[in-house]
Amino acid sequence: ALRSTGFDAEAAAELLLGGAFAGGLLDTGNVASSCCRTVQVTALYARLEELHARRQSCSEDDSALAMRLQREEEGLEGEEMAILQQLQELESQEASVVDQEALRNQFAAYEDMLDATDAEVWDGRGDLMVREWRRAHLQIEQQDPCTLYALGCGSLSEPTFFELLSLHSIRVLYDFRASPDTAMQKHFSVRILEIACKARNILYRHIALGRETAYGILKHLREDEGRNSLAEVVWYGRRKRTAFLGAEEDWHIDHRLAIASRLREAGHTVLHVLCNGSTEEHPEAVAMPDCLAGEEARLRLLEKQRLAGELRRPQKSVASRSTESVAQRLTMPRKEIDAGEELRKANTQAELCRAQRRLATLQRRFEDSSDVQAGLGPKILNVNKWIRAEASQQRDNLAAGKTKDGKDKAAKPSVDGVPSYSWAGTGGTSEGNPNFMASVPSSSSAAAMCGTSQGELKVDCLGCNAAFPWSILESGDGHCPDCLLQVQQQQQQQQQ
């Protein structure tokens, strides 16, 4: 039947089994791929059909022909048994390969499941997405859907704001405002809001999303910081009632519109809490207003203008240090710093040492400065004995003529005569005008001054804004000797 169709079974058998068929057995050790096994199995089945057809074609009664056919049939049966055995071995090899591949896939899925389970474990300290294996399993699209709440500061009073949080049982509050210091109400500043939330057992954290240096909220949400911040909010939202805070009362013109849209795209539900306590679910598709869509282009243009010198950042004016400014600061509530809370924020030993040194400096100024005692500076609370001891050590080091850390101060440059920034004319005037030539040092003294002060950092004085070496300003906390004398005289007049 196969020959009638033009299929040369003998040639196929010799091609596939030639040199490898010995006593009816095939060497399967050299077969490496499933494709080769499939071709070999097809050839073996074709050989079986040929043997079966040959056996049925023998129908003569001649005895000699019968004996010859009997001998051939015995050979055909042996070959048929060898082919069947070879087919069984090939099928078992194919099954083992499939089983190994399935086993590898099963173990890979099991390891991925364990990594995803381990990624969910977090104690709430530091950043959730700091580890790479967490970033691979805890993106907002990969976490289970949850419901989040969104609020705006606006002109809400402090009791009303916390009544809204209590009404919806909010236990975690993420502050995503880019500029919280510009809030209309003082109780919405980061420091005061953090203290108020802690008193009510509400977890508070501030992350400035959409700030100017990140080129707006839409650009910031595409960066790692924006994605990781949203992942933390979703992680908390799956466990506790969680809300994120915006600046504007109307969410249609606030940054939380972009944040809610991004969470909505990931499959989460966002409820906007209104001033009357009701909620409004964020729709699936919302058009971005021009103030958000064009924010990145506007901020990049401002940056280019600043680099070109067309715009300047606002600088602190002299009026901020005037008497009116001091009187305005006295009317504001005094800032209180909890030393214990500041130390608990440190995650490493180096951060703990820096925090303790900073608190010791504030404690020393609080004890020594009359301005701080009068209410112009921050008040330190819960000061431990180590901070007081380091503040006392800083005071002793400064009294000994050293820096507050106990290091020797850099030697002041020795210049013949008076400094170049002072007028020291011998006659007072030269034809009615100040004589500045008398204060110019000689070439040797100028060279000596350049040699001693070369490479020394120069800083602007806080009083007169003139540039001085830091070794001159350090003893006066940023004031030159003349300005320091004026400050002391003003302090004495205020005390009188």
Side-chain angles (χ1 to χ4, degrees):
L2 292 174
R3 288 192 181 93
S4 63
T5 59
F7 178 76
D8 193 355
E10 293 181 358
E14 289 179 0
L15 180 62
L16 294 174
L17 305 179
F21 185 86
L25 296 178
L26 291 174
D27 183 13
T28 60
N30 297 328
V31 181
S33 63
S34 60
C35 181
C36 295
R37 283 194 297 271
T38 303
V39 174
Q40 193 171 1
V41 168
T42 304
L44 290 175
Y45 276 114
R47 180 61 177 169
L48 283 177
E49 292 180 0
E50 181 184 0
L51 295 177
H52 184 66
R54 182 183 301 181
R55 183 182 294 109
Q56 291 181 352
S57 64
C58 299
S59 58
E60 298 181 1
D61 295 334
D62 187 68
S63 59
L65 181 61
M67 293 179 63
R68 183 174 59 83
L69 292 177
Q70 184 178 2
R71 289 194 299 268
E72 290 181 359
E73 185 176 359
E74 291 178 355
L76 293 176
E77 289 180 355
E79 183 178 358
E80 184 177 356
M81 293 297 295
I83 292 176
L84 291 175
Q85 184 179 2
Q86 183 64 27
L87 287 172
Q88 185 178 2
E89 291 180 0
L90 290 174
E91 291 177 356
S92 63
Q93 288 180 2
E94 185 176 0
S96 64
V97 171
V98 174
D99 293 341
Q100 291 178 2
E101 185 68 23
L103 188 61
R104 283 195 294 268
N105 294 335
Q106 184 178 0
F107 273 105
Y110 184 66
E111 291 178 358
D112 188 71
M113 181 184 65
L114 290 179
D115 292 341
T117 304
D118 294 339
E120 294 284 347
V121 180
W122 184 44
D123 58 356
R125 300 180 60 185
D127 295 332
L128 172 65
M129 309 294 281
V130 69
R131 302 295 182 185
E132 182 178 358
W133 48 278
R134 280 179 175 162
R135 293 194 296 270
H137 296 89
L138 291 182
Q139 297 296 332
I140 58 176
E141 296 84 1
Q142 298 171 327
Q143 300 190 49
D144 296 335
C146 66
T147 301
L148 300 170
Y149 295 83
L151 296 91
C153 296
S155 58
L156 294 176
S157 62
E158 184 176 5
T160 305
F161 176 74
F162 283 102
E163 284 178 4
L164 292 176
L165 295 182
S166 178
L167 178 63
H168 297 280
S169 302
I170 303 299
R171 307 313 308 163
V172 179
L173 180 62
Y174 266 73
D175 188 355
F176 286 151
R177 293 176 296 167
S179 303
D181 296 334
T182 60
M184 298 173 57
Q185 307 293 334
K186 295 298 181 182
H187 55 266
F188 281 126
S189 64
V190 174
R191 181 61 183 171
I192 297 178
L193 189 57
E194 182 180 7
I195 296 175
C197 289
K198 184 178 180 181
R200 293 169 174 83
N201 199 20
I202 297 176
L203 178 62
Y204 173 84
R205 186 174 184 183
H206 173 254
I207 302 176
L209 292 185
R211 56 183 179 268
E212 182 178 344
T213 55
Y215 304 112
I217 185 64
L218 296 179
K219 176 69 166 56
H220 206 174
L221 290 178
R222 297 194 297 267
E223 303 295 335
D224 291 340
E225 184 180 11
R227 295 195 302 266
N228 297 343
S229 301
L230 295 186
E232 287 187 14
V233 173
V234 173
W235 188 90
Y236 273 114
R238 294 165 53 199
R239 292 160 176 81
K240 300 178 182 179
R241 287 288 187 98
T242 305
F244 56 91
L245 187 62
E248 303 295 336
E249 184 175 348
D250 186 8
W251 62 269
H252 295 88
I253 58 174
D254 192 25
H255 281 180
R256 66 183 187 273
L257 167 61
I259 298 173
S261 299
R262 182 67 186 92
L263 292 171
R264 182 68 176 175
E265 291 176 1
H268 305 283
T269 304
V270 179
L271 299 179
H272 296 280
V273 179
L274 305 181
C275 297
N276 56 3
S278 61
T279 59
E280 179 183 356
E281 185 175 356
H282 190 82
E284 294 185 1
V286 181
M288 290 293 167
D290 296 337
C291 60
L292 299 181
E295 189 176 16
E296 180 180 357
R298 178 177 58 83
L299 293 176
R300 289 188 181 275
L301 178 60
L302 289 176
E303 183 183 22
K304 292 181 180 179
Q305 291 177 349
R306 289 195 183 100
L307 293 177
E310 299 176 5
L311 294 177
R312 294 184 179 274
R313 291 182 180 272
Q315 297 180 355
K316 190 176 181 180
S317 62
V318 180
S320 62
R321 292 189 292 269
S322 63
T323 306
E324 296 180 358
S325 176
V326 174
Q328 184 180 5
R329 289 169 57 190
L330 287 174
T331 59
M332 297 176 60
R334 191 173 186 180
K335 183 179 180 180
E336 296 182 351
I337 299 177
D338 190 351
E341 182 66 22
E342 294 294 328
L343 294 176
R344 283 191 291 270
K345 291 181 180 179
N347 295 324
T348 62
Q349 185 66 25
E351 294 179 1
L352 182 63
C353 293
R354 288 194 294 267
Q356 182 171 330
R357 187 181 302 111
R358 183 175 64 254
L359 292 172
T361 302
L362 294 176
Q363 178 65 18
R364 173 177 57 83
R365 293 176 179 176
F366 176 76
E367 295 175 352
D368 298 344
S369 176
S370 59
D371 292 342
V372 176
Q373 294 179 1
L376 294 178
K379 183 179 180 181
I380 314 298
L381 304 177
N382 301 325
V383 181
N384 56 36
K385 59 181 180 180
W386 292 282
I387 295 178
R388 296 182 185 277
E390 187 168 352
S392 178
Q393 183 65 33
Q394 290 182 5
R395 189 181 298 106
D396 296 340
N397 292 334
L398 293 175
K402 301 180 179 180
T403 63
K404 64 179 182 180
D405 297 330
K407 299 179 182 179
D408 294 332
K409 294 183 179 179
K412 296 183 180 180
S414 58
V415 182
D416 297 337
V418 295
S420 58
Y421 51 81
S422 300
W423 171 62
T426 54
T429 59
S430 176
E431 298 180 356
N433 298 319
N435 185 9
F436 291 98
M437 297 302 297
S439 61
V440 178
S442 61
S443 60
S444 60
S445 61
M449 180 176 63
C450 295
T452 55
S453 61
Q454 183 177 5
E456 188 175 1
L457 179 65
K458 289 188 176 182
V459 184
D460 293 343
C461 174
L462 295 178
C464 59
N465 293 330
F468 292 91
W470 175 243
S471 58
I472 298 177
L473 301 179
E474 185 176 8
S475 59
D477 271 347
H479 293 83
C480 65
D482 296 336
C483 295
L484 182 61
L485 181 60
Q486 295 179 3
V487 170
Q488 293 177 355
Q489 292 177 356
Q490 292 178 1
Q491 293 177 358
Q492 293 176 0
Q493 292 177 1
Q494 292 178 359
Q495 292 177 358
Q496 293 176 356

